[in-house]
Amino acid sequence: MSDPQRVVVLAHEKFPDRAKTATGVLKYADYDVVAVLDRDNPGTSAADHRRDLPDVPIISAMSEAPETDALLVGIAPIGGGFDETWREDVRTALERGCDVIAGLHYFLEDDDEFAALAAEHGCEINDVRKPHDEIGVAQGTAADVAAEVVLTVGTDCSVGKMTATLELVEAARERGIDAGFIPTGQTGIMIAGWGNPVDRVVSDFTAGSVEEMILEKGDEHDVLFVEGQGSIVHPAYSAVTCGILHGSMADKLVLCHEATREVVHGYESFELPAISEYVSLYERLADPVHEADIVGGALNTSHVDDDDAAADAVESFADELGAPAVDPVRFDAADLIDEVF
Amino acid sequence: MSDPQRVVVLAHEKFPDRAKTATGVLKYADYDVVAVLDRDNPGTSAADHRRDLPDVPIISAMSEAPETDALLVGIAPIGGGFDETWREDVRTALERGCDVIAGLHYFLEDDDEFAALAAEHGCEINDVRKPHDEIGVAQGTAADVAAEVVLTVGTDCSVGKMTATLELVEAARERGIDAGFIPTGQTGIMIAGWGNPVDRVVSDFTAGSVEEMILEKGDEHDVLFVEGQGSIVHPAYSAVTCGILHGSMADKLVLCHEATREVVHGYESFELPAISEYVSLYERLADPVHEADIVGGALNTSHVDDDDAAADAVESFADELGAPAVDPVRFDAADLIDEVF
């Protein structure tokens, strides 16, 4: 995968609140983001829209962009298709000799016009959601690496596992720990600049696609933080969660939860079990493959209004968990790093 | 999928012991198997090789076959490739106007010669391991069907889940129960003549691919028996197991085990947990999505020499399980049906 220094992030009409990939890249990726494309907000800065985002100019179109190495598609419509209103920007990027990075279900490298332009101008099209062909069955060897493996697991989808993982990596690095990040979804892959889209591989290879990444990075770092997906009791996505749990052979688990979440997101007839039941299920399910303990929790309190109530929610979550907990965004992931390492 | 009456089953050089699909089709499928192709044993009968198989003639090549509607590839090399020594038989079948059914990773419909012959002679090539395009994310609705759903779950791979499922279906039907079979692997699909290859779908769609089948058949039968895959604590395949457990929303579980199995097949450094731990894990993992009880067990005693020792093993398995158990092949699945329904 190319590792561009400078990128322009496409986020038309959805920035910032419906542009999870764009904001994730702005906050956590090592790229130098030189501009955000959003035709709804030209002339403003990303920082004007959300105070945790950097001061990056927003422009209307790729034709106005400063010099850059790549265009990164930072939004996805429902279903992961390609929005034809983006075509002119992608075309312009390729004509300028820029690579294009996308995480859509629609693969840009299979688009005849884009493929021809990329060949003509010597650019790379990187569809990060396309699993590479060598991914196969797990061998049960992820625990052989030198690094300690920490996996974020969840009570549900969309509770903040990726964010918690990235905050833990940053906090660990600030404490001088040599920490690596193992991405498992398209946004994590775009942020990291590499990785397997675990939710898009053949089901038999779910664990194998995680194991491959652990083996690749496990001797380069002291600790690997693996981005979890879904939840072990999710009606639709538990297979991916289970494959990541066993494929990573994690030593430590961090349980991620969203304050006030009581039913499965998008599947509201399914109630979430008690936190203590999650602890027991994750640990007992991991055990026959590799013993793992839930060593801490990350609570997303973004829907809790004031900081006092949020702190109370974190404390009560830690009690249920029987382990230290933080909100790594509202408060500080460093507290958890200090307790866990 | 076509539903041919008469089939010829290809099983060159592997019949019967390394031809699980061929023997499964001979024992359980509704097809009229008119011949088996095995160039090592022409002139013999399937029944000569294993007493539980029907009296079907074995011939050397498709060119000698009696009239038939389809050729079914009943063996797979390691890796699921196409063995070029089979090409002449497949070519002959298509030239005779027969459909071809295969469960290989190598898709015969993508083979230029076979595709051209099929078009020329008006035949269908059915690669049962190719998932159809409409498979998607589960909606959590499998429990809405009228049928009771029974799922076989395992302590490991290759313990006899498919066989146990098919024996339970037969025994239930003999008791007058309107029972349906939900296949999840290539052999089950060939036997049933339809179905989704759950282990080959996109990992995010694992549960969805099972749910789709339950919804399709759930109002046609009183009981559905779902073929399980893998084991919930398998280092490589637990994702598929978990997806089937939650996607099927099973009401009842039958735990399948092989007598004397103590470590994971092919992953011998991993010990199997106690039977009681499997019972607890499967039931607690199922519960937040749909409550399911382990109501019985199926023990594969094929490696136990005498019937008395096998009966003892079944009894001791039932004790550990806290539920009735049988060996559905050596003894009779009907005993379990009587206890469970």
Side-chain angles (χ1 to χ4, degrees), chain B residues 129-141:
Chain B
R129 215 163 188 176
K130 195 172 210 171
H132 72 85
D133 290 337
E134 285 74 37
I135 295 173
V137 165
Q139 301 302 314
T141 52

Side-chain angles (χ1 to χ4, degrees), chain B:
Chain B
M1 180 159 177
S2 62
D3 187 21
Q5 288 298 104
R6 295 163 302 178
V7 301
V8 168
V9 175
L10 184 153
H12 286 306
E13 301 174 10
K14 296 192 172 177
F15 191 81
D17 290 339
R18 291 177 295 144
K20 181 179 160 184
T21 299
T23 56
V25 165
L26 279 162
K27 279 192 74 169
Y28 299 110
D30 289 332
Y31 300 126
D32 176 16
V33 182
V34 294
V36 170
L37 304 190
D38 177 8
R39 59 175 80 94
D40 282 353
N41 292 293
T44 65
S45 154
D48 297 337
H49 298 272
R50 237 174 62 186
R51 61 180 179 174
D52 62 332
L53 297 177
D55 184 22
V56 169
I58 297 180
I59 57 176
S60 290
M62 191 62 201
S63 54
E64 305 160 14
E67 206 176 326
T68 184
D69 301 303
L71 172 65
L72 185 152
V73 179
I75 47 177
I78 291 169
F82 181 77
D83 185 324
E84 285 297 327
T85 72
W86 308 340
R87 183 167 291 273
E88 184 60 33
D89 290 318
V90 174
R91 187 187 290 134
T92 305
L94 292 168
E95 285 169 350
R96 287 175 55 171
C98 298
D99 295 338
V100 175
I101 305 167
L104 304 171
H105 284 299
Y106 177 85
F107 298 134
L108 302 190
E109 69 178 38
D110 297 338
D111 181 287
D112 290 342
E113 182 186 13
F114 297 153
L117 282 171
E120 184 182 342
H121 297 278
C123 321
E124 196 179 315
I125 295 177
N126 189 344
D127 291 299
V128 304
R129 215 163 188 176
K130 195 172 210 171
H132 72 85
D133 290 337
E134 285 74 37
I135 295 173
V137 165
Q139 301 302 314
T141 52
D144 296 349
V145 301
E148 182 165 51
V149 175
V150 182
L151 168 66
T152 50
V153 291
T155 58
D156 196 4
C157 289
S158 306
V159 295
K161 285 180 289 287
M162 185 191 77
T163 300
T165 313
L166 290 162
E167 292 285 350
L168 285 167
V169 170
E170 286 202 349
R173 287 176 181 165
E174 281 164 17
R175 286 293 191 272
I177 297 170
D178 180 354
F181 171 63
I182 302 292
T184 59
Q186 72 270 24
T187 300
I189 293 170
M190 291 227 205
I191 291 169
W194 72 287
N196 292 333
V198 176
D199 59 355
R200 301 297 305 168
V201 303
V202 164
S203 58
D204 247 3
F205 304 160
T206 312
S209 69
V210 179
E211 179 183 86
E212 185 198 61
M213 293 190 286
I214 305 270
L215 296 180
E216 187 174 334
K217 298 291 180 183
D219 295 327
E220 292 176 15
H221 299 281
D222 293 330
V223 185
L224 293 181
F225 288 90
V226 182
E227 175 196 9
Q229 296 287 343
S231 135
I232 200 62
V233 295
H234 194 283
Y237 303 123
S238 62
V240 173
T241 311
C242 193
I244 295 175
L245 181 70
H246 288 145
S248 71
M249 299 182 77
D251 302 294
K252 295 178 174 173
L253 307 175
V254 173
L255 184 66
C256 301
H257 180 53
E258 185 181 63
T260 76
R261 181 82 59 99
E262 290 178 357
V263 293
V264 176
H265 179 68
Y267 296 74
E268 278 76 14
S269 63
F270 297 89
E271 287 180 22
L272 303 188
I275 296 299
S276 59
E277 180 67 9
Y278 282 106
V279 173
S280 171
L281 262 180
Y282 275 116
E283 290 182 348
R284 286 177 62 179
L285 191 58
D287 189 59
V289 175
H290 190 74
E291 189 181 340
D293 291 320
I294 296 222
V295 295
L299 187 71
N300 173 351
T301 65
S302 57
H303 295 131
V304 177
D305 284 341
D306 73 273
D307 284 354
D308 286 347
D312 288 348
V314 170
E315 196 179 328
S316 129
F317 179 57
D319 284 346
E320 293 177 273
L321 202 60
V326 294
D327 180 333
V329 173
R330 185 169 210 141
F331 303 120
D332 194 346
D335 299 341
L336 192 55
I337 294 294
D338 292 342
E339 300 232 34
V340 170
F341 295 96

